Amino acid sequence: MDYEKLLDRILELGAQMLMAGAEISRVEDSVTRICSAYEMEKSDVFSITSCLIVTIHTKEGRILTQVRRILAYDTDLERLERCNRLSRDICEYHLSIEAIDERLERIRNSKTYPEFIMCLAYVMISACFSVFFGGDCMDAVAAVVTGLVIRCMVKLNERVGMNRIIKNIICSAAGGLCAWILTRMGLGHSIDKIIIGNIMLLVPGVALTNGVRDMIHGDIISGGLRLLEAVLISVALAVGFAIVLIPLGA
C-alpha cells in the first residue's frame, strides 16, 4: 500500500468536503473513519475552515503527515452529498487509489445547476420573502428585478475572483440602488420590503448554522471562525446598502 498516495487522496476528499461547506465535525469524522478502514494504527485529524492537517501511523511504524490549504469554499450540498457517498464507499469497499482518483475527478468536474435555474431561484426567493415581510404584488415584482441584478453582480464578482466581503458590499449596494430606482419609477411601493426580500439572498445562514454546530460539537476555533465570518458578511451587507441609500435619503 502506497500510504503517501492514499493520504493525499484522503486529504483531497476532506478538502472537497470543506469547499462544499461541510461542518468541521463531519470532515474530521469522515477522514478518521477512512483511516480506520485502511487499518491505520492511529490517525490525528485537525481542521478549520481554511486548513486540513492529517497525521497517520501505519502498521509498519511509519508516521506520515500532510497538510491541505483551502483557499475558497462555498455551499454546494450536491457536491457534499457526493463526497459523503464516496467516503462511505471507501470505508465499506476499501477502494483502490485508482478508483478513488476516478471518483474524485468526477466530483471536481461536477457541474452546478444551470444559470437559468439559479436565476429562477433568486427570483422566487426575492419575491416570496418580499411578500412574506409585508410587501404587496408591486414590491414583489420590484424584488424580482432586483434579485436578477444581484445575481448578475454575483456572477461578475465570481469571475473576477473578488474577496467575499467586498463582493457582498458590491452586491448589496447594487441591490439597494436598483430598489431605489424602481420605487422612484413607481414599480415598487415600499423600498424596505423590496430590500428585505433581496437581502435574504445574501444572508450567510449556512455559515452561521455550521458555526453554531461546530461550537456545540466542541470545535471552538472553527466554530468561532465561521461565526466571525458570518458576522463580517452581515456587516458588509449593511454597509453596502448604507453606502447607496443614506446619500439618497432613502
Side-chain angles (χ1 to χ4, degrees), residues 75-116:
T75 302
D76 190 336
L77 298 182
E78 183 176 358
R79 175 174 293 191
L80 179 57
E81 194 279 330
R82 293 184 180 185
C83 292
N84 288 332
R85 191 186 313 148
L86 175 56
S87 67
R88 290 192 291 268
D89 289 345
I90 290 174
C91 293
E92 183 174 358
Y93 303 112
H94 300 85
L95 301 179
S96 64
I97 292 177
E98 291 75 16
I100 297 175
D101 283 339
E102 181 182 351
R103 296 278 294 275
L104 283 172
E105 187 65 23
R106 291 208 298 265
I107 291 174
R108 283 190 291 263
N109 296 330
S110 60
K111 296 181 179 180
T112 58
Y113 291 104
E115 187 60 26
F116 169 76

Side-chain angles (χ1 to χ4, degrees), residues 203-216:
V203 170
V206 175
L208 181 63
T209 303
N210 284 345
V212 174
R213 290 185 62 180
D214 287 337
M215 295 188 73
I216 292 175

Side-chain angles (χ1 to χ4, degrees), residues 71-209:
L71 298 176
Y73 50 90
D74 206 342
T75 302
D76 190 336
L77 298 182
E78 183 176 358
R79 175 174 293 191
L80 179 57
E81 194 279 330
R82 293 184 180 185
C83 292
N84 288 332
R85 191 186 313 148
L86 175 56
S87 67
R88 290 192 291 268
D89 289 345
I90 290 174
C91 293
E92 183 174 358
Y93 303 112
H94 300 85
L95 301 179
S96 64
I97 292 177
E98 291 75 16
I100 297 175
D101 283 339
E102 181 182 351
R103 296 278 294 275
L104 283 172
E105 187 65 23
R106 291 208 298 265
I107 291 174
R108 283 190 291 263
N109 296 330
S110 60
K111 296 181 179 180
T112 58
Y113 291 104
E115 187 60 26
F116 169 76
I117 299 297
M118 295 300 296
C119 289
L120 183 61
Y122 270 63
V123 164
M124 293 181 63
I125 291 171
S126 300
C128 291
F129 273 111
S130 179
V131 174
F132 178 80
F133 286 107
D136 56 24
C137 293
M138 295 302 294
D139 292 331
V141 173
V144 165
V145 177
T146 308
L148 290 175
V149 170
I150 291 177
R151 178 58 189 171
C152 292
M153 296 304 300
V154 168
K155 289 294 293 182
L156 179 61
N157 287 319
E158 287 177 353
R159 292 182 180 179
V160 175
M162 195 168 292
N163 178 275
R164 294 186 71 182
I165 302 298
I166 304 300
K167 179 185 74 174
N168 280 280
I169 292 177
I170 293 174
C171 290
S172 59
L177 180 60
C178 182
W180 181 82
I181 292 174
L182 292 174
T183 52
R184 297 289 290 183
M185 294 172 57
L187 184 58
H189 298 146
S190 179
I191 188 172
D192 58 331
K193 301 301 188 297
I194 299 171
I195 289 176
I196 289 174
N198 292 122
I199 201 173
M200 299 305 292
L201 297 168
L202 304 172
V203 170
V206 175
L208 181 63
T209 303

